[in-house]
Amino acid sequence: CSDWKGVKCGSDELADAMTSLSLFDEELDGTIPNEIGLVTELRALEMGRNGLTSTIPSSLGDLTQLTSVRLLENQLSGPLPPQLGTLTALTRWFVSDNPLLDGELPEGMGQWTELTVLNVRDTQVEGPLPDLSRLTNLQSLFTYNTNLSGSVPASLCETLDQARIDCGELVCECCTSQGGTTCETTAPTESPTQQDPNIEVLQTVIQQRSPSTDFESDDSPASLALDWMGQDAYSLEQIGDIDRNLERVVGRFSLVTLYFSTGGAPARDSSLGWLDATDECQDWIGVECDGRGRIESLVLDAVNLTNLIPIEVGLLKELQHCSFRDNGLNAPFPIDSLLQLTYLDLSSNTLTGSVIPVEVGFMSELQTLLLSDCGLIGNVPPTFDDLKKLERLDLSRNAMGGEAPDFSSLTKLTQLALHDNDFTGTLEAPCSSLIEDAFVDCEIVTCSCCQSGADGTPCTPP
């Protein structure tokens, strides 16, 4: 429960029971074993974007506590087993982009009355669409590029926000075709609702904790986030008891602000679940929380983040693990409030012309700092001396320069990468510590225990 990646267990009476298995985009292959049905308390199964093959096991129908299943972008085949009709607690079902998946959808799917998202697009599923008239919570429906026929109940148009189908095969009064043309009519527009008074309470709390947050501009990320939460059913449910759920609500606000500040990238792919009316801790890919719903980990690698990380991320006081590598961020990370961070990875972004801020020294719990290939300039700030717990540091492939840094105070450092920069002089401090690997530009940096960043060969002793 604590040490295996992707495994989460419950709390209280479920403290020893696996409730979530999240192995999204982990290069898995092979099959989903029939024994998965033994994990009877499982709520979330996230194994999308892998190389899984064979059929979906019928034993999945034994997991009646499941609320979220994401098996998209694999090589799964065969029909969906009829036993899946027992999964009446499901809120999200993704098997899209499995080109070998065929057969008819199980008739029992019409009993998934809690379902909010149904995505079977880009598969070979066929036959009549099951009767979905009881799915009164359905908000998103994606069935295009399949062989399904029949009709979408007109009653669902009251709840559907997104619906894309093959208009030539399915009848729907409020859907859009995969080509972007309207099938018949557009979904009705909801009438505006009165703002929950606790939204103002939330705004006041945010302003107290983050005085620089901009609520004056209607189109600022913070204002857009607050407006969205005022219309989101799940947010309003939490805000209704704001005294009890304050930290959860503040964390959700921070995530939504992040979404709007970075171009909406985390939710461009609906499979990531961002900005759905669901639990951000369970259903938003890349988010992990502790037992009290406080966000501990954010992993949003290669999801097209752009612009900048907003200062409101600093509201996540319990955040320990943060990875935004391989995106298009173009401004420094607001690090001065994230004092609990142990892991930060901003590699392969476009922070061109930025320097590492001196506030980095405030993160005294930091163990891993990865800032390679970011376009950074300048030298390492002297406040690095305060990172006593740092074990891994990668500043390679930037435009940093000056005298080689003195890392003599970083006695726990085991991995160091400074190569492909313009540092010069002598680097000896790592050689007297626990260093295992140290990579530099040997032709301009003298170091008796380092290796060349170009080819890994040892630097020639002076």
Side-chain angles (χ1 to χ4, degrees):
C1 289
S2 300
D3 300 321
W4 289 19
K5 183 177 181 179
V7 175
K8 293 176 66 175
C9 295
S11 56
D12 300 328
E13 68 274 10
L14 296 178
D16 296 324
M18 187 191 306
T19 57
S20 176
L21 180 60
S22 181
L23 296 171
F24 207 83
D25 197 14
E26 292 291 342
E27 300 183 358
L28 302 178
D29 54 23
T31 64
I32 302 174
N34 200 54
E35 288 77 10
I36 191 72
L38 300 175
V39 193
T40 54
E41 296 298 334
L42 198 65
R43 269 64 170 174
L45 179 62
E46 317 284 351
M47 300 179 72
R49 293 184 179 168
N50 286 295
L52 300 174
T53 57
S54 191
T55 60
I56 296 175
S58 60
S59 63
L60 203 66
D62 296 333
L63 306 182
T64 56
Q65 303 298 318
L66 274 175
T67 61
S68 179
V69 174
R70 290 191 182 91
L71 300 175
L72 65 151
E73 296 183 37
N74 280 288
Q75 296 297 317
L76 298 171
S77 60
L80 297 176
Q83 291 85 349
L84 297 180
T86 61
L87 303 180
T88 55
L90 274 178
T91 62
R92 300 171 58 80
W93 177 261
F94 286 89
V95 291
S96 55
D97 290 288
N98 280 284
L100 303 179
L101 197 66
D102 58 19
E104 296 187 359
L105 297 179
E107 184 177 349
M109 184 177 288
Q111 308 300 315
W112 295 354
T113 55
E114 300 300 318
L115 201 66
T116 61
V117 181
L118 174 60
N119 193 337
V120 297
R121 66 173 175 80
D122 293 296
T123 64
Q124 295 298 316
V125 293
E126 59 188 7
L129 188 71
D131 181 7
L132 305 182
S133 59
R134 297 186 59 193
L135 276 56
T136 55
N137 293 302
L138 194 63
Q139 299 174 7
S140 300
L141 174 66
F142 301 96
T143 67
Y144 61 90
N145 291 343
T146 66
N147 298 313
L148 291 170
S149 58
S151 62
V152 177
S155 59
L156 295 185
C157 292
E158 298 179 6
T159 60
L160 280 174
D161 293 327
Q162 304 177 80
R164 297 184 68 190
I165 68 173
D166 293 317
C167 294
E169 304 295 332
L170 279 171
V171 176
C172 178
E173 295 182 358
C174 55
C175 299
T176 301
S177 82
Q178 60 170 327
T181 58
T182 301
C183 294
E184 293 193 21
T185 62
T186 57
T189 303
E190 294 185 4
S191 58
T193 56
Q194 186 174 3
Q195 187 181 56
D196 189 304
N198 282 341
I199 289 288
E200 296 182 5
V201 176
L202 173 60
Q203 180 175 345
T204 299
V205 171
I206 299 300
Q207 288 176 317
Q208 290 173 344
R209 298 186 181 185
S210 179
S212 299
T213 291
D214 177 17
F215 287 118
E216 296 296 325
S217 304
D218 291 339
D219 59 351
S220 72
S223 293
L224 293 173
L226 200 66
D227 288 344
W228 179 85
M229 293 184 71
Q231 301 175 50
D232 170 58
Y234 190 90
S235 298
L236 289 173
E237 180 181 345
Q238 300 296 312
I239 290 170
D241 190 0
I242 198 167
D243 291 337
R244 178 181 179 182
N245 300 321
L246 179 60
E247 299 308 320
R248 284 288 305 270
V249 172
V250 170
R252 190 174 178 89
F253 168 82
S254 178
L255 294 182
V256 180
T257 304
L258 170 65
Y259 166 79
F260 285 114
S261 180
T262 56
R268 284 177 187 159
D269 182 345
S270 61
S271 66
L272 298 181
W274 280 58
L275 266 66
D276 282 344
T278 53
D279 184 344
E280 68 277 7
C281 293
Q282 295 289 335
D283 298 316
W284 293 15
I285 291 294
V287 179
E288 292 188 10
C289 305
D290 63 12
R292 297 171 60 184
R294 299 175 302 183
I295 297 166
E296 289 185 322
S297 174
L298 274 179
V299 179
L300 293 171
D301 297 337
V303 292
N304 298 316
L305 298 179
T306 58
N307 301 325
L308 54 85
I309 301 297
I311 58 172
E312 288 76 17
V313 168
L315 295 168
L316 304 177
K317 300 299 184 183
E318 302 302 319
L319 189 64
Q320 300 176 28
H321 185 110
C322 186
S323 182
F324 293 151
R325 69 179 298 127
D326 195 17
N327 284 292
L329 301 173
N330 56 21
F333 190 79
I335 60 177
D336 53 328
S337 300
L338 299 173
L339 305 184
Q340 300 302 314
L341 271 183
T342 62
Y343 183 104
L344 178 61
D345 186 356
L346 299 178
S347 301
S348 300
N349 279 283
T350 53
L351 310 181
T352 306
S354 299
V355 298
I356 300 177
V358 296
E359 290 85 0
V360 68
F362 297 163
M363 297 190 294
S364 58
E365 300 297 315
L366 203 59
Q367 299 173 17
T368 298
L369 180 60
L370 308 177
L371 300 174
S372 64
D373 194 20
C374 286
L376 296 172
I377 62 174
N379 205 326
V380 174
T383 51
F384 257 59
D385 290 346
D386 297 323
L387 303 180
K388 305 297 184 184
K389 297 182 179 181
L390 196 63
E391 300 174 3
R392 184 183 176 195
L393 174 63
D394 188 349
L395 302 177
S396 62
R397 297 188 295 277
N398 283 295
M400 302 180 69
E403 189 70 19
D406 178 7
F407 292 124
S408 58
S409 64
L410 306 184
T411 56
K412 293 190 175 183
L413 195 65
T414 60
Q415 295 182 329
L416 173 66
L418 297 179
H419 59 88
D420 291 293
N421 281 289
D422 296 318
F423 294 116
T424 59
T426 301
L427 182 70
E428 288 299 333
C431 302
S432 59
S433 67
L434 302 176
I435 200 74
E436 297 173 356
D437 296 297
F439 295 93
V440 300
D441 297 310
C442 295
E443 63 275 14
I444 54 176
V445 173
T446 300
C447 176
S448 61
C449 64
C450 295
Q451 300 166 268
S452 168
D455 54 19
T457 58
C459 294
T460 303

